[in-house]
Amino acid sequence: MIKNISVNKMSCCETPVQEKGNLPVAIIGAGPVGLAAAAQLISKGEPFMLFEAGDEVGANIRKWEHVRLFSPWQYNIDKAAKELLLSANWVAPQNEKIPTGKEIVEHYLKPLAALPELSANVHLNTKVTAISRKGLSKVKTSGREKLPFVIHVEQNGSSFIYEARAVIDASGTWSNPNPLRSDGIFTEEEKALNSHISYGIPAVLSKERNRYSGKKVLVVGSGHSAINTLLELAQLQKEESGTEIVWAIRKANIEDVYGGRELDGLQARGELGTRIQKVVESGTVKVLTGFHIEELRKQGEQIQVSGSIQNERVVIDHIDEIVGNTGSRPDLSIVQEVRILTDPSLDCVYELAPLIDPNVHSCGTVRPHGEKELRQPEKDFYIVGAKSYGRAPTFLMATGYEQVRSIVAALVGDMESAQKVELELPETGVCSLGASSTDSCCEPVQMKETSLDCCSPSKTEKAGSDSCCE
Ligand SMILES: Cc1cc2nc3c(=O)[nH]c(=O)nc-3n(C[C@H](O)[C@H](O)[C@H](O)COP(=O)(O)OP(=O)(O)OC[C@H]3O[C@@H](n4cnc5c(N)ncnc54)[C@H](O)[C@@H]3O)c2cc1C
């Protein structure tokens, strides 16, 4: 049961008066992790309000709804959410089946948000624009912990301010893609070419077929999104032979892109590597490795992209369409007025950086972590989900579910439960730490830890000096 609450919603000019203790917890973003936070709060009888910028829950996933995930249902459903759904006679999908993005939204997130316990408190078309402490900028220290948070939102064309006792920011990163240039800067030239650049995974074989059919398409990036895009383009090329595909990656070695393949703990993730390897080896795609994009120019109705490979200038002419799959970054502008600590290179939650830094750590595992690691200098303010990973690409929903379970336990004062974090993640089968798989943190075994310290004695002995658990 949700406690009776009175939510303060004001026009920007009124002065609210309310005790912080009676206020709800604010959740930003109705993706899988934001909705799991809501389910966890409901399970504790805690009031909440959830703000979603899109016109439906799962709005970011909707943008790649045609893509099949790589993790089966068993990893994609939060436990508290499942309990709520089952009590409303929901028929759970089969554990081992692998859903598409569309199925995640329609068979899981939408039924969850439609439950009476959630629906009244989920505010769609409500974009959070800023967060602060009531009446205090972030410079002022005295008494700030006792003050409510103020959440500034744009809701159906009007501005409002809500008050909350705590904030869980689960707003993801998908709406904030990285640019194509390898220096990470969005130039005016790139912005001006926007109508020929798609950031994301376009529905090449369905809705957006005409845009790509028979065209010269440049795909930039080397992660799973790029692979998904390329696999569809390769299929399109079979059907429309005039389609030309160029793939530009910064990695020097294409083998690094293929991942663990048959060693991957998630079969579907491994198969992405195997399938793209076949496509590359068939010669369907022209691959430019070690390519650093430096300039984009309009070339008549087309685009010219230039850059360098090992300091040699390389130019790709007459590109019709570009698909940018260079990752995404968190929007930190909304949290400018709260005291947060992020890693300077990854923009992720500071404490997570050594666990997920793609420069040194390529496996899909992460040490179990919870409220303690996600705690910010601003008391009762948390960044969770894909956003907690910042620019690192390896986030999995299961990680986010454990994050919010631990945080909600802490918010209701159950520190024992908050600190007992458990996480089981399938390995990618690739580890860039350690000389051999047995030396690494990413050895292909199921990882299950029940304390905040991943280095239980047995793990430490195995891990050796190169381990992520030092
Ligand atoms: C193509 C693809 C495939 C993936 N496959 C898997 C997989 O197989 N298994 C797996 O575990 N993970 C997978 N992931 C990774 C990850 O689990 C998903 O990206 C997941 O959607 C992240 O959940 P989230 O709730 O953190 O963020 P999101 O799903 O991105 O949700 C964030 C929500 O916040 C909203 N929002 C943003 N800004 C604001 C604002 N200012 N105010 C209000 N609302 C806002 C957005 O509209 C969105 O609805 C995949 C990711 C991608 C891109």
Side-chain angles (χ1 to χ4, degrees), residues 29 31-33 51-53 60 69-71 128 170-171 174 201 385-386 396-397:
V33 180
F51 304 115
E52 166 54 49
N60 275 352
L69 276 78
F70 43 76
S71 60
V128 173
S171 59
W174 192 249
I201 310 176
L396 292 173
M397 278 174 259

Side-chain angles (χ1 to χ4, degrees), residues 68-110:
R68 193 163 291 286
L69 276 78
F70 43 76
S71 60
W73 276 110
Q74 70 182 99
Y75 293 107
N76 304 333
I77 299 177
D78 172 68
K79 280 187 194 143
K82 189 173 184 178
E83 267 178 37
L84 279 176
L85 282 162
L86 288 176
S87 65
N89 297 326
W90 173 72
V91 180
Q94 282 175 306
N95 266 346
E96 64 285 359
K97 285 255 166 76
I98 300 178
T100 58
K102 185 176 182 178
E103 286 164 342
I104 289 279
V105 176
E106 291 182 0
H107 298 336
Y108 171 44
L109 302 182
K110 282 199 144 185

Side-chain angles (χ1 to χ4, degrees), residues 451-463:
S451 85
L452 272 179
D453 178 5
C454 80
C455 304
S456 61
S458 60
K459 187 87 183 170
T460 316
E461 276 160 30
K462 264 188 186 169

Side-chain angles (χ1 to χ4, degrees), residues 327-387:
S328 49
R329 49 181 72 168
D331 175 6
L332 296 174
S333 66
I334 62 171
V335 295
Q336 240 172 20
E337 221 36 56
V338 281
R339 296 177 174 185
I340 58 154
L341 205 51
T342 53
D343 178 75
S345 58
L346 299 181
D347 290 337
C348 66
V349 171
Y350 187 79
E351 291 282 327
L352 298 189
L355 312 181
I356 58 176
D357 185 348
N359 290 298
V360 292
H361 193 89
S362 57
C363 62
T365 64
V366 62
R367 195 181 79 192
H369 62 270
E371 191 275 339
K372 183 169 169 251
E373 287 81 356
L374 296 162
R375 204 177 288 163
Q376 292 289 349
E378 190 76 66
K379 189 174 176 329
D380 297 334
F381 183 89
Y382 299 96
I383 297 173
V384 299
K387 189 168 184 174

Side-chain angles (χ1 to χ4, degrees), residues 88-367:
N89 297 326
W90 173 72
V91 180
Q94 282 175 306
N95 266 346
E96 64 285 359
K97 285 255 166 76
I98 300 178
T100 58
K102 185 176 182 178
E103 286 164 342
I104 289 279
V105 176
E106 291 182 0
H107 298 336
Y108 171 44
L109 302 182
K110 282 199 144 185
L112 178 62
L115 294 174
E117 295 93 324
L118 274 92
S119 58
N121 301 308
V122 175
H123 305 273
L124 300 177
N125 298 308
T126 306
K127 186 177 164 78
V128 173
T129 53
I131 305 160
S132 185
R133 288 278 186 182
K134 188 174 169 183
L136 281 194
S137 75
K138 75 170 167 189
V139 177
K140 301 285 179 194
T141 301
S142 179
R144 67 182 293 117
E145 292 187 359
K146 296 196 184 85
L147 291 169
F149 286 97
V150 282
I151 323 287
H152 291 243
V153 305
E154 273 167 22
Q155 197 170 42
N156 302 317
S158 302
S159 301
F160 297 100
I161 305 173
Y162 287 81
E163 293 189 6
R165 78 166 176 102
V167 179
I168 299 176
D169 179 358
S171 59
T173 62
W174 192 249
S175 347
N176 224 20
N178 289 326
L180 300 171
R181 286 171 57 104
S182 46
D183 63 8
I185 305 291
F186 256 115
T187 58
E188 290 308 315
E189 288 74 24
E190 183 167 341
K191 287 180 201 162
L193 293 166
N194 203 278
S195 59
H196 291 282
I197 306 175
S198 166
Y199 301 92
I201 310 176
V204 169
L205 293 174
S206 49
K207 278 191 272 187
E208 296 186 75
R209 191 181 184 96
N210 287 344
R211 180 168 176 180
Y212 297 99
S213 183
K215 304 281 174 58
K216 179 170 179 178
V217 186
L218 170 68
V219 178
V220 185
S222 61
H224 293 130
S225 299
I227 295 177
N228 274 304
T229 304
L230 286 156
L231 290 173
E232 289 219 345
L233 281 169
Q235 180 58 36
L236 182 66
Q237 193 192 52
K238 275 189 194 155
E239 296 162 22
E240 307 281 349
S241 58
T243 313
E244 196 183 335
I245 313 165
V246 184
W247 185 14
I249 62 171
R250 275 184 290 184
K251 287 192 166 87
N253 187 350
I254 188 73
E255 280 285 321
D256 293 343
V257 179
Y258 302 149
R261 287 160 283 181
E262 63 283 353
L263 291 179
D264 198 311
L266 288 174
Q267 192 186 346
R269 188 170 56 190
E271 280 169 9
L272 283 177
T274 314
R275 287 172 64 204
I276 197 63
Q277 182 176 9
K278 275 195 191 136
V279 166
V280 169
E281 287 170 1
S282 74
T284 308
V285 174
K286 181 175 174 8
V287 184
L288 294 169
T289 54
F291 186 57
H292 291 249
I293 293 180
E294 288 158 4
E295 201 179 1
L296 295 118
R297 268 197 204 168
K298 204 164 183 323
Q299 196 173 39
E301 286 308 300
Q302 294 166 310
I303 302 173
Q304 182 191 65
V305 171
S306 53
S308 60
I309 298 180
Q310 290 181 338
N311 296 324
E312 297 258 329
R313 187 172 154 79
V314 175
V315 178
I316 315 171
D317 280 315
H318 304 298
I319 301 161
D320 296 302
E321 290 290 336
I322 301 179
V323 181
N325 286 140
T326 52
S328 49
R329 49 181 72 168
D331 175 6
L332 296 174
S333 66
I334 62 171
V335 295
Q336 240 172 20
E337 221 36 56
V338 281
R339 296 177 174 185
I340 58 154
L341 205 51
T342 53
D343 178 75
S345 58
L346 299 181
D347 290 337
C348 66
V349 171
Y350 187 79
E351 291 282 327
L352 298 189
L355 312 181
I356 58 176
D357 185 348
N359 290 298
V360 292
H361 193 89
S362 57
C363 62
T365 64
V366 62
R367 195 181 79 192

